[in-house]
Every structure is written in structure tokens, then in C-alpha cells.
Amino acid sequence: MSIPIIFFHAGDSDYLQYTLKQAVASNPNADVYLLGDQFNEKYSSIVNHHMYDNFFDSVWDFKNKYVHLSTNDAAYEMICIVRWFIMKDFCKRHNIDKFFYCDSDVMLYCDITEEQKKFANYRCTMTHNISAGITFINDLKVLDEYYDLCQRVYSKEDKFNFNKCKQHFENLQANNRAGGVCDMTLWSIYRNIGNPGDYGETSAIIDDSTFDHNINGDDGYETEDGIKKVYWKDNKPYCKKIWLDRLIRFNCIHFQGQPAKALIPSFVRE
């Protein structure tokens, strides 16, 4: 049975149609879902569209606890956290026990069901140890535990980890650096609570393929004009791992950041 693929997106960005179509083209037998809003409902002809505000059961109470600790927009950072609560409630209502999630600026070039087999013994995966922007959720209880952690931290019931978040933000401020606490901060805390062996790493090279964390970061690969240099073979992207001196197939490319998103249309492969 094919692994479902879930996207979450608010609004209608120019690139969204391309990432959705690419996911469907690479996974024609999978259910591809978009948890979106009225602005992107038109993509229901491409994927299974659901209004994310129909799955706010776990959001309302947290909203009153949220403390903004970032230079980024407060509404943006909060929605990045609560999207996981929304996915939790969506999956429970639709009897989905495992799925693959990727950010809406990620182009997929692989059969997710086949790739999931490499990570089947992990409860979930992350990339660069902290980001769930490209992740397999193999045990839905992970999202329950993440929700509980967020509730405890922001209510200050878990004062240790709340102070850890606060100090992270204060350290950035003291050194004139942007950013702060986001969902990745909480995922990093969550990952260190349990057994590290329960969490896979999607940016690892397994069977000569990997998942891209960020096209703007070299991650030890060859670059050109500030981004990873991509070679195409049979409509699949490859990048050269420098220390291995060989090409590695990329299961996805993550176009993080506004300049990179403009490249998405030119990376369409069907």
C-alpha cells in the first residue's frame, strides 16, 4: 500500500502548483493531500485538498499559551508549530497511521513508498537532526508527544525547556542575529528526550540516494552560483558528494528561501 504524502500551505504561492504536480507525477499511486485554505482550494483538481481550519481541535488552547520568541513574524512562527497539531488531528480523523510530509517548496523525484522502507524501523525522521520539513512519520504517537511537549513548554510547566528556548532567542539577540524559536527548536528538544535510535536522518546517504535539506547549503556537495550543482540523469537530479567523489541521487530538492523558489519551474520533471 502506498504511503500518503501531506503538504501544508497557507495562501497561493506561484510555485505551489509545481511542487504538487511533481509529487503526483513521482507518486501516481499515492494519496497526495494538501492541508490548505480557500486561496489554494483550486488545486483540488491535482491533489486531495482539505481546509486546515477544519482540524483546529488542538490549536485553540495552545494559541493562548504561545509566547513569541523570534524576530520572524509571530503568526508565521505559530502556524509552523500548530501545523503539526493540525496534521495529527487530520490523520486521526482519516485513519492515516503513517505518512510522508514535506514543505510546500520541496520538489519530489522519488517513489516515497519505496524510500520509506529504508526508514521503516524509525518512529520518524528528521533532516539535519532538527528539521521535520522533510520527514516520515511512521508512528502517529510522535505527533501526540510533540503536541504534549509544546503544551508543557509554552505553559511553562516544563520550565527547563521553556528557559532553554528563551535563552536561545536571547543569545541570538545579544549577537545581533535574526531568528529565534520555531517548530525546529521544539523538534530538537523532542528528539533529545527519547532514544536517539528512534529517529532517522533523511539527509544521510542510503543506497546512493539522499533527501536535500536545503539547495542553498553545500552540505559537502559541489556547488555552482551559491547553490548545489545538479546533474540530470533520466529526469532524476544528482549532486556530487565531494569527499566521496561520486554522484548521489537526490530524492528531493528543497528550495528554501525566496530566491531559490524562483528556480522551481525550471526543475519540473515528469
Side-chain angles (χ1 to χ4, degrees), residues 38-147:
Q38 69 271 26
F39 300 108
N40 52 48
E41 190 177 11
K42 62 186 179 182
Y43 298 121
S44 59
S45 61
I46 303 172
V47 296
N48 298 297
H49 184 279
H50 293 266
M51 296 290 190
Y52 63 69
D53 59 6
N54 288 332
F55 305 94
F56 263 36
D57 300 2
S58 300
V59 173
W60 298 117
D61 186 45
F62 177 79
K63 186 177 180 180
N64 296 324
K65 296 184 177 75
Y66 178 71
V67 178
H68 189 55
L69 298 169
S70 175
T71 58
N72 296 327
D73 178 72
Y76 171 80
E77 291 295 10
M78 192 178 76
I79 198 69
C80 284
I81 294 174
V82 302
R83 61 179 165 164
W84 300 105
F85 309 168
I86 292 168
M87 276 184 267
K88 169 179 70 70
D89 293 338
F90 171 78
C91 288
K92 287 182 177 180
R93 205 176 298 180
H94 287 83
N95 297 313
I96 296 172
D97 62 351
K98 59 174 62 71
F99 65 93
F100 176 78
Y101 170 81
C102 63
D103 286 347
S104 57
D105 55 359
V106 172
M107 293 283 273
L108 287 177
Y109 302 99
C110 67
D111 182 331
I112 285 299
T113 300
E114 285 301 309
E115 291 301 318
Q116 187 269 347
K117 294 175 182 176
K118 300 175 183 177
F119 301 99
N121 292 326
Y122 298 104
R123 296 185 68 204
C124 70
T125 65
M126 296 183 197
T127 180
H128 276 217
N129 289 327
I130 60 169
S131 173
I134 300 163
T135 185
F136 291 94
I137 300 291
N138 294 326
D139 178 6
L140 207 60
K141 291 179 182 177
V142 164
L143 297 186
D144 286 321
E145 293 165 4
Y146 182 78
Y147 169 74

Side-chain angles (χ1 to χ4, degrees), residues 171-237:
N171 185 39
L172 290 172
Q173 289 282 284
N175 290 280
N176 297 313
R177 297 181 64 176
V181 177
C182 61
D183 67 318
M184 290 188 292
T185 314
L186 278 299
W187 277 116
S188 178
I189 293 171
Y190 173 79
R191 188 182 185 278
N192 289 318
I193 290 174
N195 176 6
D198 284 342
Y199 311 107
E201 173 58 59
T202 51
S203 66
I205 298 171
I206 304 175
D207 296 337
D208 275 350
S209 76
T210 188
F211 289 82
D212 179 39
H213 169 62
N214 184 351
I215 194 173
N216 300 294
D218 66 82
D219 300 321
Y221 292 90
E222 183 182 14
T223 62
E224 185 175 61
D225 298 327
I227 63 173
K228 291 184 179 76
K229 185 175 181 179
V230 176
Y231 300 84
W232 294 96
K233 291 184 177 182
D234 299 324
N235 282 334
K236 303 292 184 184

